[in-house]
Amino acid sequence: MRMYDILVKKRDGKVLSDDEINFFVKGATDGGIPDYQISALLMAIYLRGMTDKETLSLTKAMELSGDTVDLSGIDGVTVDKHSTGGVGDKTSLIVAPIVASLGGKVAKMSGRGLGHTGGTIDKLESIKGFNTSLTPDEFLKQVKEIGISIVGQTGNLAPADKKFYGIRDVTATIDSLPLICSSIMSKKLASGASAIVLDVKTGSGSFMKTLDDSRTLAKKMVDIGAMAGRKVAAVITNMDIPLGKAVGNALEVKEAIEVLKGQGPDDLTKVCITLSSVMIGFVTGEDEKTCLLKAEDAIRSGIALSKFKEFVAYQGGDITGIDDTELLPKAKFKYELKSQRSGFITHMETDEIGLSSVMLGAGREKKEDKIDMGAGIIIEKKTGDEVSAGDVLCVMYADDESKFTTSASRYLNALTIGDEKPDKKSTVLDIIRG
Ligand code: URA
């Protein structure tokens, strides 16, 4: 088999066989196929698309390109969640303890921030002492004992995805349905959970900008999961606006704790309750309404917060910052960004808001950059809110005062302020079940 012939076939819009896809994924992973041929095929897939059968075959080959996690030793239903990436998305920190407090087994591997989006592992590392690199045995032992563990993805989980993602990032081939679908699902299948709930974001802060594209992606991922023998559902949520008020690692941990204490913002609480209820449905088999009530009650009764504390303590984190969130890392400087005009916020370019937080030190501009854990933004006015000239739009936090000017100008450019109050969009837009 020759890579050249595979390129010609996809370039001309033909369907690749399982053997051809396996040949490509194996060669890309072991270095047998050079980056220029990998890039060419990724671009051909981007332009020509893939059938569902090809996408499944690509996903399976990527899943099996490295280690797979065996969770069969855990009693009960193992359930995982994955977000397609957003701004202010701290849902894993809230949903995982809710579900674990109700009997689900959450063995979760998470990532770091990427581009304008944040990552759960960076957020957890803002808790003093929290260890995100457990050995596989420690990880499994913890899930068996307390029902929850969240660790960084092991180096050899779906290595083909790591290779492709790096190339897609610099060849304008990220936003392709079969490539996103195989990227996410290969990692989730390799992570071993029997049930998976996907939070598919839609809008200006996500990789999928329209609801139609997000629905198509969600359906594809749910189908691929079912074909691979897993229970999968997708919740489509609004990312035309940052989720909650906090963007930035320690600020987001603080907001997640507020939700677990029943004092968080409504939009974030609603998304977390919905995701939790779908996960609980997979664990208990109960109907939607019962699962929603159980998720709400886990917050009201305090069992989800207790589970969060148990989880943080088990992984070496300092729990004093949970009781008193003033003890979480704080930036040295703060800056109030004020509105220059009056009106209504009609639109937020959410990815730009994520990037202005990255510029404050809350994310990485280059892979090796160090994150300032206390840096980020608290958003005071969001889409639909009325503002008067002089009102605080957001409060920015950074360890380096010189970062405020450029970040604030990027933030202001991301907002549209008009005279008409815009219609409010729901936070949860759809649920797609297999
Ligand atoms: N998240 C992933 O893991 N992969 C993609 O391709 C896009 C978002």
Side-chain angles (χ1 to χ4, degrees), residues 82-84 114 161 165 168 174 179-180 183-184 187 207:
H82 184 86
S83 152
T84 57
L114 182 73
D161 177 58
Y165 206 98
R168 287 168 59 210
I174 291 280
L179 295 179
I180 297 181
S183 166
I184 293 176
K187 285 178 290 208
F207 292 112

Side-chain angles (χ1 to χ4, degrees), residues 23-150:
F23 174 86
F24 165 60
V25 172
K26 184 174 175 305
T29 311
D30 67 18
I33 298 173
D35 286 3
Y36 52 83
Q37 284 187 316
I38 300 174
S39 315
L41 189 62
L42 292 172
M43 184 57 86
I45 292 172
Y46 182 93
L47 296 171
R48 293 296 198 167
M50 278 186 141
T51 63
D52 288 350
K53 186 167 174 300
E54 282 177 296
T55 310
L56 174 65
S57 175
L58 179 63
T59 308
K60 291 295 290 175
M62 288 166 69
E63 175 201 351
L64 300 176
S65 65
D67 298 340
T68 53
V69 183
D70 180 6
L71 299 178
S72 60
I74 295 173
D75 287 337
V77 180
T78 50
V79 58
D80 198 353
K81 92 159 254 291
H82 184 86
S83 152
T84 57
V87 178
D89 179 7
K90 64 285 288 174
T91 52
S92 290
L93 304 178
I94 303 159
V95 166
I98 293 179
V99 174
S101 75
L102 293 166
K105 304 290 176 185
V106 187
K108 182 159 172 48
M109 291 191 176
S110 289
R112 296 192 180 275
L114 182 73
H116 66 275
T117 67
T120 302
I121 291 302
D122 294 328
K123 290 169 201 174
L124 283 170
E125 285 180 355
S126 72
I127 302 173
K128 202 167 121 214
F130 194 97
N131 179 11
T132 57
S133 358
L134 305 183
T135 64
D137 283 348
E138 286 168 338
F139 176 60
L140 290 183
K141 180 170 174 282
Q142 183 176 330
V143 179
K144 280 183 194 167
E145 284 180 13
I146 65 164
I148 174 172
S149 180
I150 304 182

